[in-house]
Amino acid sequence: MDNNKTFYTSEVMTGAPAVFKTDTQRLIYESLDRAGIDYTRIESDLGVSMDDCLNIDRAFGIDTVKTILLTNRQKNKFWLYVTHARKPFITKEFGASLQIPRVSFADEELMLAILGTAHGAATPFGLLRDEASEVTFVMDRDVAARDKIVLTDGDPCGFIAISNADLFRLLGKSPVLIENPAEIIMP
């Protein structure tokens, strides 16, 4: 982050944005509202770096998470992994935890096709899309144990705070839980 520029975060709000930037973002908010799920949200500058996440953490008073779409070499199996935003991701440990062969990050084309989001905006809410029906939902145990988490709303400038229980209810599934032994990188 440029130290000469202040990172913008809106006040915490309720309700959907007035204008949706993508079809996935519309699906997310319509699904939340239809299910009667409480959430709060903020809008911000592009939130993709660790420093950006710290600003978003401060706005909500809750740590953000990072969401990663992973694939096998054949690009026919997918895992959506949610972990602490400041924990390193080590592919070898992830694969060993699930007893699967080596995985790699899905490219932007796959992200758009499956989750309907670009890099920097991956979100478990993308699992609401029909195209994501075969994706395995995976989460760090420590993240799953939290009462609330902060996720993107399908756009790298929009973030939602929601309870894990409500997230799992909305998605209609609980994640496969694994341990990420990496240490949280302190700011």
Side-chain angles (χ1 to χ4, degrees), residues 62 141-150 161-168:
I62 304 169
R141 244 179 241 290
D142 66 334
V143 173
R146 296 181 195 171
D147 178 45
K148 283 191 166 187
I149 59 174
V150 175
I162 186 172
S163 77
N164 270 324
D166 283 339
L167 174 65
F168 303 157

Side-chain angles (χ1 to χ4, degrees), residues 80-100:
L80 186 75
Y81 180 45
V82 180
T83 187
H84 193 287
R86 293 188 313 272
K87 271 190 178 182
F89 173 73
I90 302 166
T91 57
K92 183 178 178 181
E93 289 177 4
F94 177 84
S97 294
L98 295 174
Q99 299 178 345
I100 56 175

Side-chain angles (χ1 to χ4, degrees), residues 9-12 42-43 53-62:
T9 56
S10 69
E11 295 296 317
V12 175
I42 65 164
E43 294 174 357
C53 288
L54 291 172
N55 286 301
I56 294 159
D57 293 353
R58 282 190 283 277
F60 279 115
I62 304 169

Side-chain angles (χ1 to χ4, degrees), residues 41-109:
R41 70 179 186 89
I42 65 164
E43 294 174 357
S44 71
D45 284 337
L46 185 65
V48 293
S49 75
M50 194 176 298
D51 285 341
D52 300 340
C53 288
L54 291 172
N55 286 301
I56 294 159
D57 293 353
R58 282 190 283 277
F60 279 115
I62 304 169
D63 288 345
T64 53
V65 297
K66 70 178 156 193
T67 304
I68 306 166
L69 183 63
L70 301 155
T71 186
N72 61 356
R73 181 175 291 154
Q74 297 79 18
K75 297 183 180 181
N76 63 2
K77 292 186 181 176
F78 301 93
W79 297 265
L80 186 75
Y81 180 45
V82 180
T83 187
H84 193 287
R86 293 188 313 272
K87 271 190 178 182
F89 173 73
I90 302 166
T91 57
K92 183 178 178 181
E93 289 177 4
F94 177 84
S97 294
L98 295 174
Q99 299 178 345
I100 56 175
R102 186 176 170 104
V103 295
S104 59
F105 295 101
D107 60 32
E108 185 134 10
E109 183 178 329

